[in-house]
Amino acid sequence: MNTTQTAPAHAHAAAIDETRLQAFLGRTVDDLSASYVGVMVSLGRRLGLYRTLAGSGPLSSHEIAHRSGCAERYVREWLNSQVATGYILYHPSSATYELPPEHAAVLADEESPLYLAPAWEVPASMWLDQERTLEVFRTGEGVPWSAHNERLYCGVSAFYRNCYKGQLVPQWLPALEGAADRLRAGARVADVGCGHGHSTILLAEAFPRSRFHGFDTHEGSIAAARENAVAAGVAARTEFTVTSAKDYPAGPYDMICFFDCLHDMGDPVGAATHARACIAEDGMVMVIEPLAHDAVENNVGSISRLYYGASTALCCPHSRSEEVGLALGAQAGPARLREVFQRAGFTRFRVAQENPFNLILEVRP
Ligand SMILES: C[S@@+](CC[C@H](N)C(=O)[O-])C[C@H]1O[C@@H](n2cnc3c(N)ncnc32)[C@H](O)[C@@H]1O
């Protein structure tokens, strides 16, 4: 009898290293408890508990419950969970709780570029949509961006809005040669895959002489973008249209932007080819993609695991739902992104800037 054919798969498993096992167990318990923290953050955000604590100094659980209109016993338990995770300080001598200003910038201040609290809406939607994800893992089919739980759009939109607010105009745009001057003078700009239009609106606010066209296939996002533009007072110089990255009107545009959406597309080469046809000969394409290296073994750590998770449950499924279905993935890395634009007929490509979260790319005809 051929034992290699009948032996169970685990028969060749290496001996267990007890230290390594305990370290890994500790790591997974950390991750499990971090996922509970996400639920607590969502409660704190939606009940206004962080807002109540921000800038108020030390407060008792009764005072926090009173100010936020919640039941004290629940609030106290939530506060203790936040103390356990290090988000809120506890002063035993006065039995009071305090949110330090640095933590308030991340958890309470909705205008802070570091405001992260709504980002937990994204994994919430990933859990809610898991049955569909299980299904497409088995069939290889896709899930369009529009088919997700509403919490995805709120989370992504709020997260990106603040991130762009802090960085797009002051930091990223100046990394592209001559971009700010061109927009100051008056340019025609396409923001492809614009989502809720936060990037488009920020640019429109900063460069009143330019005209901005936001394009996205998701109707709900385009409706939200129009409302956001009206609220920001830039409706007259922005226009939002439901259309795909391969179909928007030809321009020509002085600048075409792909902000955190190229890898989501089913046919990124087709989208880049359309951009090549629509860009002015002296124009430029600005691409923001999640920070990634070219080799999978270099894409490790907290940022990469966040992006790979989103890529598995959101980006690849959306891409597979579209024509071609390339599923480039949110950790494609500069070499693969360069190849996309080269295949589309662009000749110049450079990483203009990178930070722990993003790659900022400049692409020219
Ligand atoms: C992760 S969201 C980013 C949205 C926005 N750029 C931002 O940074 O807030 C990706 C967006 O790309 C859009 N999208 C995906 N495929 C598209 C396509 N083929 N054409 C146009 N938009 C597309 C989705 O509808 C979604 O709004």
Side-chain angles (χ1 to χ4, degrees), residues 145 160 164 193-195 216-218 243-245 259-261 264-265 318 322:
W145 186 255
Y160 283 108
Y164 289 150
C194 64
D216 201 292
T217 40
H218 183 219
T243 187
S244 99
F259 293 158
D260 202 6
C261 61
D264 291 301
M265 294 174 182
H318 175 79
E322 292 194 336

Side-chain angles (χ1 to χ4, degrees), residues 175 291 333-335 338 349-354 358-362:
L291 178 76
R338 176 193 296 269
F349 175 102
R350 78 179 177 101
V351 177
Q353 201 179 87
E354 62 176 60
N358 310 97
L359 282 171
I360 292 95
L361 311 172
E362 178 179 336

Side-chain angles (χ1 to χ4, degrees), residues 8-26:
H10 63 261
H12 300 293
I16 291 285
D17 176 330
E18 192 57 32
T19 311
R20 201 170 172 186
L21 175 64
Q22 290 306 321
F24 183 66
L25 187 62

Side-chain angles (χ1 to χ4, degrees), residues 21-100:
L21 175 64
Q22 290 306 321
F24 183 66
L25 187 62
R27 161 69 197 276
T28 53
V29 171
D30 266 358
D31 288 350
L32 177 65
S33 99
S35 66
Y36 284 41
V37 170
V39 180
M40 297 299 108
V41 171
S42 180
L43 287 175
R45 180 178 70 84
R46 294 176 71 177
L47 293 167
L49 296 168
Y50 292 124
R51 268 199 311 278
T52 300
L53 279 150
S56 297
L59 294 175
S60 71
S61 59
H62 289 276
E63 190 57 38
I64 296 162
H66 176 69
R67 291 191 192 184
S68 55
C70 294
E72 188 276 338
R73 183 64 192 96
Y74 284 121
V75 169
R76 183 160 28 104
E77 205 67 359
W78 176 83
L79 285 163
N80 292 341
S81 85
Q82 295 288 283
V83 173
T85 203
Y87 282 15
I88 285 177
L89 305 179
Y90 180 62
H91 304 291
S93 55
S94 53
T96 54
Y97 300 85
E98 184 179 3
L99 185 67

